[in-house]
Amino acid sequence: MLDFSKPTNRVLRGGYFLYLRTFVPLFGCLFCGDSETHAYIYESLVHYPEAHELAERMRGAGARDVRVAPLLGGCMCIHRATKC
């Protein structure tokens, strides 16, 4: 599963969240004519579990061999597991 994630580095996380709150709606307005086009990403990510927590939830649901591969400094992650 490839999904947005939260960088563990506080400085990177702050910059990333600033980008999502400020520039993503601006780009949505410029390129799609609607600032809300992708603005939901910030709000949903604030409430989304961190990568290690999501991995634990997967294990709790019975997944085996759970692996997490952070990308782009942790802004995105690949979670991989085996279905039981």
Side-chain angles (χ1 to χ4, degrees), residues 27-37:
F27 294 147
C29 187
L30 291 172
F31 298 112
C32 301
D34 180 12
S35 64
E36 296 299 313
T37 300

Side-chain angles (χ1 to χ4, degrees), residues 28-63:
C29 187
L30 291 172
F31 298 112
C32 301
D34 180 12
S35 64
E36 296 299 313
T37 300
H38 294 95
Y40 72 91
I41 296 171
Y42 167 74
E43 189 61 35
S44 65
L45 190 55
V46 167
H47 302 288
Y48 197 71
E50 294 191 23
H52 68 277
E53 183 182 342
L54 184 56
E56 285 304 312
R57 289 183 185 192
M58 291 170 74
R59 287 183 189 97

Side-chain angles (χ1 to χ4, degrees), residues 10-83:
R10 292 178 63 190
V11 174
L12 183 57
R13 181 184 291 206
Y16 180 48
F17 278 16
L18 177 67
Y19 168 78
L20 291 173
R21 272 192 325 267
T22 308
F23 293 102
V24 168
L26 176 63
F27 294 147
C29 187
L30 291 172
F31 298 112
C32 301
D34 180 12
S35 64
E36 296 299 313
T37 300
H38 294 95
Y40 72 91
I41 296 171
Y42 167 74
E43 189 61 35
S44 65
L45 190 55
V46 167
H47 302 288
Y48 197 71
E50 294 191 23
H52 68 277
E53 183 182 342
L54 184 56
E56 285 304 312
R57 289 183 185 192
M58 291 170 74
R59 287 183 189 97
R64 295 179 290 125
D65 304 321
V66 177
R67 298 181 201 165
V68 179
L71 305 172
L72 302 171
C75 293
M76 301 197 78
C77 282
I78 296 173
H79 283 78
R80 181 176 175 216
T82 303
K83 181 179 175 181

